[in-house]
């Protein structure tokens, strides 16, 4: 912790665990420290970062917290995998929000993350600790694989239990609008505050969450996504015939359609699938020329976030 704090105060970056994915943190007040993060990741310059703080951090020092429903969301879901986008007071580096007048703030629930954030007592700008566009890391080992030699320290807090990135929710308007789906679902937010919409960019409109426009979360091998398990079986057999190293990513109920040694099994519940997805993609890319993914059947709740990540990992096919 002491070493992490020293590195951060010198403008460096440190990887730390959260309950969603590992973060690559830097002092959000420093232009140079924040720029360093973009450089390490190879991240597009127009994709803003989330500021991470501990539970007792004074939010009013960073943002205008003027919506009563936002308070309810905080009380209901924080600490936890929900990022809230507020109007910014401009107290952190302008590089954090890439010129937007808003600031995304997150209070992670992982005990190691809380301990780290309390210890350094700084607003920490942190994207996921992967090379830009690769699958997000859910263990210290994943961070090491992507960033070995590029950062001086990884705080190892074990496997991230949630497995997909936080829900990003805009709280500047009349009602909450989800910009990125995640483990806090639209249904959960509706239950807490009555109304919640999921943002869908309109044709030609500038997207409100710039991260949405990039290909993301992709493994290094080829991928294909199937709606129909039977079509995946046919494609599997065809790939095998060609001598390709082919693996299947699917929920447990389809696993029996394939030889078990080639199955990356997502499990049965949406929470299982969120927790396993990125590990399985990272495991798969090491051994496969191609991963054939079968889209799970369920769609609502937490599954919306899982499907969003599966679509992005298999973008284009
Ligand atoms: O679970 C998470 O959120 C993880 C862990 C490390 O906390 N972090 C994470 O950060 O996923 P990143 O940088 O990979 O994704 C941040 C997302 C992007 O889609 C970005 O566009 C959006 O949040 N975002 C950040 N600031 C924003 C803002 N002011 N307005 C709208 N969207 C914003
Ligand atoms: Mg990311």
């Amino acid at each position: 912790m002491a070493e992490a704090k020293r590195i951060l105060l010198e403008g460096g970056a440190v990887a730390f665990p959260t309950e969603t994915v590992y973060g690559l943190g830097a002092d959000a007040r420093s232009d140079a420290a924040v720029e360093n993060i973009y450089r390490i990741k190879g991240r597009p310059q127009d994709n803003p970062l989330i500021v991470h703080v501990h539970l007792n951090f004074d939010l009013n020092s960073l943002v205008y917290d003027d919506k009563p429903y936002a308070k309810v969301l905080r009380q209901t879901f924080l600490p936890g995998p929900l990022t809230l986008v507020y109007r910014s007071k401009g107290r952190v580096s302008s590089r954090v929000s890439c010129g937007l007048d808003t600031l995304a703030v997150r209070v992670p629930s992982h005990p190691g993350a809380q301990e780290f954030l309390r210890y350094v007592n700084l607003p920490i700008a942190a994207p996921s600790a992967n090379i830009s566009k690769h699958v997000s890391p859910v263990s210290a080992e994943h961070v090491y694989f992507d960033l070995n030699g590029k950062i001086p320290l990884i705080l190892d807090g074990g496997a991230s239990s949630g497995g997909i990135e936080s829900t990003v929710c805009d709280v500047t308007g009349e009602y909450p609008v989800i910009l990125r789906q995640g483990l806090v679902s639209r249904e959960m937010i509706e239950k807490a505050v009555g109304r919640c919409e999921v943002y869908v960019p309109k044709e030609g409109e500038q997207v409100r969450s710039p991260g949405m426009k990039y290909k993301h979360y992709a493994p290094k091998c080829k991928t294909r996504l199937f709606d129909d398990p039977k079509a995946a079986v046919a494609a599997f057999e065809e790939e095998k015939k060609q001598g390709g190293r082919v693996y299947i990513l699917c929920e447990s109920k389809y696993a029996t359609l394939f030889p078990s040694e080639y199955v990356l099994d997502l499990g049965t519940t949406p929470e299982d699938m969120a927790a396993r997805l990125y590990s399985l993609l990272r495991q798969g890319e090491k051994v496969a020329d191609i991963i054939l993914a079968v889209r799970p059947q369920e769609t609502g709740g937490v599954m919306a976030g899982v499907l969003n990540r599966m679509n992005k990992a298999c973008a284009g096919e």
Side-chain angles (χ1 to χ4, degrees), residues 65-84:
D65 175 26
D66 46 9
K67 296 288 187 287
Y69 73 80
K71 285 202 176 69
V72 177
L73 292 180
R74 251 194 357 263
Q75 280 157 6
T76 311
F77 297 110
L78 300 191
L82 176 67
T83 296
L84 298 174

Side-chain angles (χ1 to χ4, degrees), residues 111-126:
Q114 277 297 314
E115 190 185 342
F116 163 67
L117 293 166
R118 261 199 316 273
Y119 187 90
V120 300
N121 198 27
L122 296 168
I124 296 295

Side-chain angles (χ1 to χ4, degrees), residues 18-259:
T18 86
E19 73 281 13
T20 58
V21 303
Y22 273 65
L24 179 62
D27 183 349
R29 303 166 310 169
S30 158
D31 288 346
V34 174
E35 269 161 25
N36 186 37
I37 285 187
Y38 284 87
R39 199 177 41 73
I40 292 168
K41 282 189 56 118
R43 182 181 178 98
Q45 296 285 340
D46 62 348
N47 190 8
L49 304 176
I50 296 169
V51 165
H52 295 64
V53 295
H54 61 75
L55 192 54
N56 300 319
F57 196 93
D58 176 19
L59 200 62
N60 291 303
S61 68
L62 299 177
V63 295
Y64 296 99
D65 175 26
D66 46 9
K67 296 288 187 287
Y69 73 80
K71 285 202 176 69
V72 177
L73 292 180
R74 251 194 357 263
Q75 280 157 6
T76 311
F77 297 110
L78 300 191
L82 176 67
T83 296
L84 298 174
V85 176
Y86 296 91
R87 280 193 304 126
S88 178
K89 288 188 174 167
R91 304 274 169 77
V92 296
S93 164
S94 61
R95 265 76 166 178
V96 172
S97 293
C98 304
L100 299 172
D101 59 3
T102 51
L103 185 67
V105 183
R106 163 154 150 71
V107 183
S109 63
H110 188 294
Q114 277 297 314
E115 190 185 342
F116 163 67
L117 293 166
R118 261 199 316 273
Y119 187 90
V120 300
N121 198 27
L122 296 168
I124 296 295
S128 48
N130 51 286
I131 293 291
S132 189
K133 303 190 177 57
H134 192 208
V135 180
S136 292
V138 292
S139 70
E141 205 177 349
H142 294 158
V143 180
Y144 184 81
F145 182 83
D146 276 26
L147 300 180
N148 177 24
K150 297 188 167 184
I151 58 171
L153 184 66
I154 302 170
L155 298 174
D156 186 348
S160 299
S161 57
I164 59 172
E165 300 82 352
S166 63
T167 303
V168 177
C169 184
D170 186 314
V171 295
T172 62
E174 214 180 299
Y175 51 87
V177 177
I178 293 179
L179 304 178
R180 178 177 73 183
Q181 291 178 299
L183 292 167
V184 174
S185 67
R186 173 195 194 155
E187 290 82 349
M188 289 159 74
I189 293 178
E190 270 173 350
K191 201 166 161 218
V193 299
R195 181 172 181 191
C196 174
E197 301 293 332
V198 177
Y199 172 66
V200 186
K202 296 188 191 70
E203 190 101 29
E205 183 190 17
Q206 196 179 6
V207 292
R208 275 165 69 182
S209 185
M212 289 177 60
K213 67 182 183 226
Y214 296 108
K215 178 169 174 171
H216 248 117
Y217 323 114
K220 294 185 189 308
C221 60
K222 283 199 286 183
T223 50
R224 280 181 74 186
L225 185 58
F226 292 84
D227 284 323
D228 176 7
K230 288 201 202 82
V233 170
F236 177 80
E237 280 162 7
E238 187 53 36
E239 289 284 346
K240 271 275 166 244
K241 224 185 290 168
Q242 310 283 329
R245 295 181 305 162
V246 51
Y247 284 75
I248 298 289
L249 179 74
C250 66
E251 59 183 313
S252 295
K253 71 171 166 199
Y254 297 137
T256 51
L257 297 172
F258 304 92

